[in-house]
Amino acid sequence: MAKILTHPAVAAALLTALAVSAPATASAAPANTSATATSCYGGAVTVSYGDAVEFGPYTTTSRCADINLRMVSGDAEFVWACVKFTRVGECNYWTKVGRSWKTIATDVKDGSKFTVPLGVDLEGSSARVQIAF
């Protein structure tokens, strides 16, 4: 069973010894350099539905592990999006995407070539979207 120090002078001496013997630590904040990697969303491309209905081809990078999409403007309430990998030639699955970032393909290998077909909620609606990969 551990003893509890009850004598004030012994406790003070022990605390002083610990404070003296404990090394001082300092941590510097990481340097913010131009070599700092671009964030996943920071490297997003912006495209407009109506200019095309299938965007790309793009090639995935190490910036993102997934392919993400969001609407940034337009009168559509949402878009339907899928990822069509060049090696497969078909959409993975259709995902409903609004104005928040949504993952439309997960765990994508770097260097994968793909396009992104889009559809809007109502014919004639417009949508401007960002694709991060």
Side-chain angles (χ1 to χ4, degrees):
M1 182 176 253
K3 288 189 173 187
I4 299 175
L5 296 175
T6 56
H7 194 279
V10 173
L14 182 57
L15 288 174
T16 302
L18 287 173
V20 170
S21 65
T25 59
S27 61
N32 187 7
T33 66
S34 61
T36 303
T38 303
S39 74
C40 178
Y41 298 147
V45 297
T46 304
V47 296
S48 295
Y49 178 83
D51 293 343
V53 293
E54 185 166 336
F55 300 94
Y58 304 113
T59 303
T60 57
T61 65
S62 59
R63 251 192 334 262
C64 304
D66 304 323
I67 299 172
N68 306 282
L69 188 132
R70 73 173 175 171
M71 283 184 49
V72 291
S73 64
D75 58 6
E77 288 187 36
F78 58 88
V79 295
W80 288 101
C82 77
V83 173
K84 188 189 293 185
F85 292 101
T86 303
R87 64 179 169 71
V88 177
E90 296 179 10
C91 281
N92 55 350
Y93 51 86
W94 288 91
T95 303
K96 184 178 177 180
V97 180
R99 297 194 185 264
S100 298
W101 284 108
K102 184 94 171 206
T103 301
I104 58 174
T106 58
D107 299 323
V108 181
K109 183 179 175 183
D110 291 352
S112 299
K113 293 188 183 317
F114 69 97
T115 60
V116 178
L118 287 180
V120 291
D121 59 335
L122 294 171
E123 188 173 331
S125 294
S126 65
R128 191 160 174 84
V129 300
Q130 288 184 314
I131 307 165
F133 50 91

PDB file of all heavy atoms in Angstrom, residues 17-49:
ATOM      1  N   ALA A  17      11.962  19.248  -5.717  1.00  0.00           N
ATOM      2  CA  ALA A  17      12.892  18.365  -6.419  1.00  0.00           C
ATOM      3  C   ALA A  17      12.324  17.945  -7.768  1.00  0.00           C
ATOM      4  O   ALA A  17      13.042  17.886  -8.767  1.00  0.00           O
ATOM      5  CB  ALA A  17      13.206  17.136  -5.560  1.00  0.00           C
ATOM      6  N   LEU A  18      11.061  17.661  -7.805  1.00  0.00           N
ATOM      7  CA  LEU A  18      10.425  17.267  -9.065  1.00  0.00           C
ATOM      8  C   LEU A  18      10.439  18.420 -10.061  1.00  0.00           C
ATOM      9  O   LEU A  18      10.684  18.230 -11.247  1.00  0.00           O
ATOM     10  CB  LEU A  18       8.994  16.795  -8.836  1.00  0.00           C
ATOM     11  CG  LEU A  18       8.846  15.418  -8.172  1.00  0.00           C
ATOM     12  CD1 LEU A  18       7.387  15.152  -7.862  1.00  0.00           C
ATOM     13  CD2 LEU A  18       9.404  14.327  -9.063  1.00  0.00           C
ATOM     14  N   ALA A  19      10.185  19.623  -9.595  1.00  0.00           N
ATOM     15  CA  ALA A  19      10.162  20.786 -10.482  1.00  0.00           C
ATOM     16  C   ALA A  19      11.543  21.076 -11.049  1.00  0.00           C
ATOM     17  O   ALA A  19      11.681  21.436 -12.214  1.00  0.00           O
ATOM     18  CB  ALA A  19       9.625  22.003  -9.751  1.00  0.00           C
ATOM     19  N   VAL A  20      12.578  20.893 -10.256  1.00  0.00           N
ATOM     20  CA  VAL A  20      13.932  21.162 -10.700  1.00  0.00           C
ATOM     21  C   VAL A  20      14.407  20.091 -11.673  1.00  0.00           C
ATOM     22  O   VAL A  20      15.062  20.367 -12.653  1.00  0.00           O
ATOM     23  CB  VAL A  20      14.893  21.264  -9.485  1.00  0.00           C
ATOM     24  CG1 VAL A  20      16.339  21.304  -9.936  1.00  0.00           C
ATOM     25  CG2 VAL A  20      14.550  22.472  -8.651  1.00  0.00           C
ATOM     26  N   SER A  21      14.052  18.829 -11.387  1.00  0.00           N
ATOM     27  CA  SER A  21      14.569  17.751 -12.215  1.00  0.00           C
ATOM     28  C   SER A  21      13.763  17.519 -13.484  1.00  0.00           C
ATOM     29  O   SER A  21      14.223  16.855 -14.387  1.00  0.00           O
ATOM     30  CB  SER A  21      14.627  16.452 -11.409  1.00  0.00           C
ATOM     31  OG  SER A  21      13.317  16.047 -11.067  1.00  0.00           O
ATOM     32  N   ALA A  22      12.580  18.056 -13.545  1.00  0.00           N
ATOM     33  CA  ALA A  22      11.759  17.857 -14.741  1.00  0.00           C
ATOM     34  C   ALA A  22      12.279  18.736 -15.863  1.00  0.00           C
ATOM     35  O   ALA A  22      12.482  19.928 -15.667  1.00  0.00           O
ATOM     36  CB  ALA A  22      10.304  18.188 -14.445  1.00  0.00           C
ATOM     37  N   PRO A  23      12.565  18.157 -17.025  1.00  0.00           N
ATOM     38  CA  PRO A  23      13.073  18.977 -18.120  1.00  0.00           C
ATOM     39  C   PRO A  23      11.999  19.919 -18.648  1.00  0.00           C
ATOM     40  O   PRO A  23      10.827  19.575 -18.703  1.00  0.00           O
ATOM     41  CB  PRO A  23      13.461  17.943 -19.179  1.00  0.00           C
ATOM     42  CG  PRO A  23      12.621  16.744 -18.877  1.00  0.00           C
ATOM     43  CD  PRO A  23      12.409  16.760 -17.393  1.00  0.00           C
ATOM     44  N   ALA A  24      12.428  21.079 -19.034  1.00  0.00           N
ATOM     45  CA  ALA A  24      11.501  22.037 -19.629  1.00  0.00           C
ATOM     46  C   ALA A  24      11.251  21.620 -21.064  1.00  0.00           C
ATOM     47  O   ALA A  24      12.166  21.206 -21.770  1.00  0.00           O
ATOM     48  CB  ALA A  24      12.097  23.435 -19.577  1.00  0.00           C
ATOM     49  N   THR A  25      10.022  21.677 -21.466  1.00  0.00           N
ATOM     50  CA  THR A  25       9.697  21.317 -22.843  1.00  0.00           C
ATOM     51  C   THR A  25       9.111  22.514 -23.542  1.00  0.00           C
ATOM     52  O   THR A  25       8.371  23.291 -22.951  1.00  0.00           O
ATOM     53  CB  THR A  25       8.683  20.156 -22.894  1.00  0.00           C
ATOM     54  OG1 THR A  25       7.513  20.559 -22.206  1.00  0.00           O
ATOM     55  CG2 THR A  25       9.258  18.894 -22.281  1.00  0.00           C
ATOM     56  N   ALA A  26       9.467  22.659 -24.777  1.00  0.00           N
ATOM     57  CA  ALA A  26       8.924  23.731 -25.595  1.00  0.00           C
ATOM     58  C   ALA A  26       8.550  23.127 -26.933  1.00  0.00           C
ATOM     59  O   ALA A  26       9.268  22.294 -27.463  1.00  0.00           O
ATOM     60  CB  ALA A  26       9.946  24.835 -25.783  1.00  0.00           C
ATOM     61  N   SER A  27       7.434  23.521 -27.438  1.00  0.00           N
ATOM     62  CA  SER A  27       7.055  23.021 -28.744  1.00  0.00           C
ATOM     63  C   SER A  27       6.802  24.200 -29.667  1.00  0.00           C
ATOM     64  O   SER A  27       6.086  25.124 -29.313  1.00  0.00           O
ATOM     65  CB  SER A  27       5.811  22.136 -28.658  1.00  0.00           C
ATOM     66  OG  SER A  27       4.739  22.882 -28.149  1.00  0.00           O
ATOM     67  N   ALA A  28       7.416  24.138 -30.805  1.00  0.00           N
ATOM     68  CA  ALA A  28       7.224  25.192 -31.793  1.00  0.00           C
ATOM     69  C   ALA A  28       6.090  24.800 -32.715  1.00  0.00           C
ATOM     70  O   ALA A  28       5.921  23.633 -33.047  1.00  0.00           O
ATOM     71  CB  ALA A  28       8.506  25.381 -32.597  1.00  0.00           C
ATOM     72  N   ALA A  29       5.321  25.764 -33.105  1.00  0.00           N
ATOM     73  CA  ALA A  29       4.240  25.499 -34.054  1.00  0.00           C
ATOM     74  C   ALA A  29       4.857  25.157 -35.397  1.00  0.00           C
ATOM     75  O   ALA A  29       5.900  25.695 -35.765  1.00  0.00           O
ATOM     76  CB  ALA A  29       3.344  26.729 -34.173  1.00  0.00           C
ATOM     77  N   PRO A  30       4.251  24.231 -36.140  1.00  0.00           N
ATOM     78  CA  PRO A  30       4.804  23.897 -37.442  1.00  0.00           C
ATOM     79  C   PRO A  30       4.841  25.119 -38.353  1.00  0.00           C
ATOM     80  O   PRO A  30       3.941  25.944 -38.328  1.00  0.00           O
ATOM     81  CB  PRO A  30       3.860  22.833 -37.994  1.00  0.00           C
ATOM     82  CG  PRO A  30       2.686  22.782 -37.092  1.00  0.00           C
ATOM     83  CD  PRO A  30       3.034  23.523 -35.845  1.00  0.00           C
ATOM     84  N   ALA A  31       5.884  25.200 -39.136  1.00  0.00           N
ATOM     85  CA  ALA A  31       6.041  26.333 -40.051  1.00  0.00           C
ATOM     86  C   ALA A  31       5.004  26.256 -41.154  1.00  0.00           C
ATOM     87  O   ALA A  31       4.720  25.197 -41.690  1.00  0.00           O
ATOM     88  CB  ALA A  31       7.441  26.321 -40.642  1.00  0.00           C
ATOM     89  N   ASN A  32       4.421  27.375 -41.482  1.00  0.00           N
ATOM     90  CA  ASN A  32       3.446  27.435 -42.563  1.00  0.00           C
ATOM     91  C   ASN A  32       4.191  27.837 -43.825  1.00  0.00           C
ATOM     92  O   ASN A  32       4.520  28.985 -44.015  1.00  0.00           O
ATOM     93  CB  ASN A  32       2.341  28.445 -42.220  1.00  0.00           C
ATOM     94  CG  ASN A  32       1.228  28.400 -43.231  1.00  0.00           C
ATOM     95  OD1 ASN A  32       1.199  27.544 -44.116  1.00  0.00           O
ATOM     96  ND2 ASN A  32       0.289  29.316 -43.097  1.00  0.00           N
ATOM     97  N   THR A  33       4.493  26.865 -44.674  1.00  0.00           N
ATOM     98  CA  THR A  33       5.273  27.136 -45.875  1.00  0.00           C
ATOM     99  C   THR A  33       4.415  26.925 -47.102  1.00  0.00           C
ATOM    100  O   THR A  33       3.350  26.333 -47.049  1.00  0.00           O
ATOM    101  CB  THR A  33       6.490  26.199 -45.950  1.00  0.00           C
ATOM    102  OG1 THR A  33       6.019  24.872 -46.132  1.00  0.00           O
ATOM    103  CG2 THR A  33       7.340  26.281 -44.701  1.00  0.00           C
ATOM    104  N   SER A  34       4.942  27.373 -48.226  1.00  0.00           N
ATOM    105  CA  SER A  34       4.214  27.178 -49.476  1.00  0.00           C
ATOM    106  C   SER A  34       4.214  25.714 -49.885  1.00  0.00           C
ATOM    107  O   SER A  34       3.449  25.306 -50.743  1.00  0.00           O
ATOM    108  CB  SER A  34       4.831  28.038 -50.583  1.00  0.00           C
ATOM    109  OG  SER A  34       6.170  27.657 -50.786  1.00  0.00           O
ATOM    110  N   ALA A  35       5.081  24.910 -49.250  1.00  0.00           N
ATOM    111  CA  ALA A  35       5.136  23.483 -49.551  1.00  0.00           C
ATOM    112  C   ALA A  35       4.027  22.710 -48.836  1.00  0.00           C
ATOM    113  O   ALA A  35       3.851  21.519 -49.059  1.00  0.00           O
ATOM    114  CB  ALA A  35       6.498  22.914 -49.166  1.00  0.00           C
ATOM    115  N   THR A  36       3.264  23.396 -47.971  1.00  0.00           N
ATOM    116  CA  THR A  36       2.172  22.729 -47.279  1.00  0.00           C
ATOM    117  C   THR A  36       1.166  22.206 -48.299  1.00  0.00           C
ATOM    118  O   THR A  36       0.787  22.909 -49.219  1.00  0.00           O
ATOM    119  CB  THR A  36       1.463  23.703 -46.310  1.00  0.00           C
ATOM    120  OG1 THR A  36       2.431  24.208 -45.402  1.00  0.00           O
ATOM    121  CG2 THR A  36       0.365  23.019 -45.545  1.00  0.00           C
ATOM    122  N   ALA A  37       0.760  20.964 -48.133  1.00  0.00           N
ATOM    123  CA  ALA A  37      -0.135  20.335 -49.104  1.00  0.00           C
ATOM    124  C   ALA A  37      -1.485  21.037 -49.154  1.00  0.00           C
ATOM    125  O   ALA A  37      -1.996  21.503 -48.143  1.00  0.00           O
ATOM    126  CB  ALA A  37      -0.337  18.870 -48.735  1.00  0.00           C
ATOM    127  N   THR A  38      -2.053  21.104 -50.337  1.00  0.00           N
ATOM    128  CA  THR A  38      -3.385  21.663 -50.522  1.00  0.00           C
ATOM    129  C   THR A  38      -4.393  20.714 -49.895  1.00  0.00           C
ATOM    130  O   THR A  38      -4.274  19.508 -50.036  1.00  0.00           O
ATOM    131  CB  THR A  38      -3.699  21.806 -52.024  1.00  0.00           C
ATOM    132  OG1 THR A  38      -2.701  22.615 -52.613  1.00  0.00           O
ATOM    133  CG2 THR A  38      -5.057  22.429 -52.255  1.00  0.00           C
ATOM    134  N   SER A  39      -5.378  21.249 -49.216  1.00  0.00           N
ATOM    135  CA  SER A  39      -6.389  20.394 -48.621  1.00  0.00           C
ATOM    136  C   SER A  39      -7.213  19.723 -49.711  1.00  0.00           C
ATOM    137  O   SER A  39      -7.217  20.146 -50.860  1.00  0.00           O
ATOM    138  CB  SER A  39      -7.313  21.209 -47.720  1.00  0.00           C
ATOM    139  OG  SER A  39      -8.185  21.998 -48.507  1.00  0.00           O
ATOM    140  N   CYS A  40      -7.905  18.694 -49.327  1.00  0.00           N
ATOM    141  CA  CYS A  40      -8.757  17.969 -50.280  1.00  0.00           C
ATOM    142  C   CYS A  40      -9.738  18.927 -50.959  1.00  0.00           C
ATOM    143  O   CYS A  40      -9.793  19.001 -52.178  1.00  0.00           O
ATOM    144  CB  CYS A  40      -9.505  16.869 -49.538  1.00  0.00           C
ATOM    145  SG  CYS A  40     -10.638  15.921 -50.573  1.00  0.00           S
ATOM    146  N   TYR A  41     -10.478  19.678 -50.185  1.00  0.00           N
ATOM    147  CA  TYR A  41     -11.477  20.577 -50.760  1.00  0.00           C
ATOM    148  C   TYR A  41     -10.824  21.787 -51.415  1.00  0.00           C
ATOM    149  O   TYR A  41     -11.381  22.380 -52.331  1.00  0.00           O
ATOM    150  CB  TYR A  41     -12.468  21.033 -49.701  1.00  0.00           C
ATOM    151  CG  TYR A  41     -13.269  19.903 -49.090  1.00  0.00           C
ATOM    152  CD1 TYR A  41     -13.663  19.944 -47.760  1.00  0.00           C
ATOM    153  CD2 TYR A  41     -13.633  18.790 -49.834  1.00  0.00           C
ATOM    154  CE1 TYR A  41     -14.400  18.920 -47.197  1.00  0.00           C
ATOM    155  CE2 TYR A  41     -14.358  17.756 -49.282  1.00  0.00           C
ATOM    156  CZ  TYR A  41     -14.744  17.826 -47.962  1.00  0.00           C
ATOM    157  OH  TYR A  41     -15.472  16.801 -47.413  1.00  0.00           O
ATOM    158  N   GLY A  42      -9.640  22.170 -50.955  1.00  0.00           N
ATOM    159  CA  GLY A  42      -8.933  23.307 -51.528  1.00  0.00           C
ATOM    160  C   GLY A  42      -8.518  23.078 -52.972  1.00  0.00           C
ATOM    161  O   GLY A  42      -8.290  24.015 -53.707  1.00  0.00           O
ATOM    162  N   GLY A  43      -8.441  21.823 -53.377  1.00  0.00           N
ATOM    163  CA  GLY A  43      -8.063  21.511 -54.747  1.00  0.00           C
ATOM    164  C   GLY A  43      -9.253  21.207 -55.641  1.00  0.00           C
ATOM    165  O   GLY A  43      -9.086  20.677 -56.743  1.00  0.00           O
ATOM    166  N   ALA A  44     -10.457  21.541 -55.196  1.00  0.00           N
ATOM    167  CA  ALA A  44     -11.674  21.208 -55.943  1.00  0.00           C
ATOM    168  C   ALA A  44     -11.768  21.967 -57.265  1.00  0.00           C
ATOM    169  O   ALA A  44     -11.299  23.097 -57.375  1.00  0.00           O
ATOM    170  CB  ALA A  44     -12.909  21.519 -55.093  1.00  0.00           C
ATOM    171  N   VAL A  45     -12.362  21.309 -58.263  1.00  0.00           N
ATOM    172  CA  VAL A  45     -12.659  21.976 -59.536  1.00  0.00           C
ATOM    173  C   VAL A  45     -14.136  22.358 -59.535  1.00  0.00           C
ATOM    174  O   VAL A  45     -14.968  21.667 -58.950  1.00  0.00           O
ATOM    175  CB  VAL A  45     -12.321  21.087 -60.757  1.00  0.00           C
ATOM    176  CG1 VAL A  45     -10.850  20.793 -60.822  1.00  0.00           C
ATOM    177  CG2 VAL A  45     -13.116  19.802 -60.736  1.00  0.00           C
ATOM    178  N   THR A  46     -14.470  23.461 -60.190  1.00  0.00           N
ATOM    179  CA  THR A  46     -15.845  23.948 -60.254  1.00  0.00           C
ATOM    180  C   THR A  46     -16.340  23.845 -61.687  1.00  0.00           C
ATOM    181  O   THR A  46     -15.659  24.278 -62.614  1.00  0.00           O
ATOM    182  CB  THR A  46     -15.919  25.408 -59.768  1.00  0.00           C
ATOM    183  OG1 THR A  46     -15.368  25.482 -58.439  1.00  0.00           O
ATOM    184  CG2 THR A  46     -17.353  25.912 -59.749  1.00  0.00           C
ATOM    185  N   VAL A  47     -17.515  23.244 -61.867  1.00  0.00           N
ATOM    186  CA  VAL A  47     -18.115  23.070 -63.194  1.00  0.00           C
ATOM    187  C   VAL A  47     -19.600  23.411 -63.126  1.00  0.00           C
ATOM    188  O   VAL A  47     -20.189  23.431 -62.055  1.00  0.00           O
ATOM    189  CB  VAL A  47     -17.928  21.623 -63.718  1.00  0.00           C
ATOM    190  CG1 VAL A  47     -16.457  21.309 -63.924  1.00  0.00           C
ATOM    191  CG2 VAL A  47     -18.552  20.608 -62.775  1.00  0.00           C
ATOM    192  N   SER A  48     -20.186  23.672 -64.290  1.00  0.00           N
ATOM    193  CA  SER A  48     -21.604  24.028 -64.354  1.00  0.00           C
ATOM    194  C   SER A  48     -22.384  23.004 -65.152  1.00  0.00           C
ATOM    195  O   SER A  48     -22.027  22.710 -66.302  1.00  0.00           O
ATOM    196  CB  SER A  48     -21.778  25.405 -64.996  1.00  0.00           C
ATOM    197  OG  SER A  48     -21.218  26.396 -64.193  1.00  0.00           O
ATOM    198  N   TYR A  49     -23.437  22.494 -64.554  1.00  0.00           N
ATOM    199  CA  TYR A  49     -24.342  21.607 -65.259  1.00  0.00           C
ATOM    200  C   TYR A  49     -25.040  22.447 -66.322  1.00  0.00           C
ATOM    201  O   TYR A  49     -25.476  23.558 -66.069  1.00  0.00           O
ATOM    202  CB  TYR A  49     -25.373  21.008 -64.303  1.00  0.00           C
ATOM    203  CG  TYR A  49     -26.361  20.109 -64.993  1.00  0.00           C
ATOM    204  CD1 TYR A  49     -26.040  18.793 -65.252  1.00  0.00           C
ATOM    205  CD2 TYR A  49     -27.600  20.581 -65.405  1.00  0.00           C
ATOM    206  CE1 TYR A  49     -26.927  17.947 -65.896  1.00  0.00           C
ATOM    207  CE2 TYR A  49     -28.498  19.750 -66.053  1.00  0.00           C
ATOM    208  CZ  TYR A  49     -28.151  18.434 -66.303  1.00  0.00           C
ATOM    209  OH  TYR A  49     -29.026  17.607 -66.947  1.00  0.00           O
TER     210      TYR A  49
END
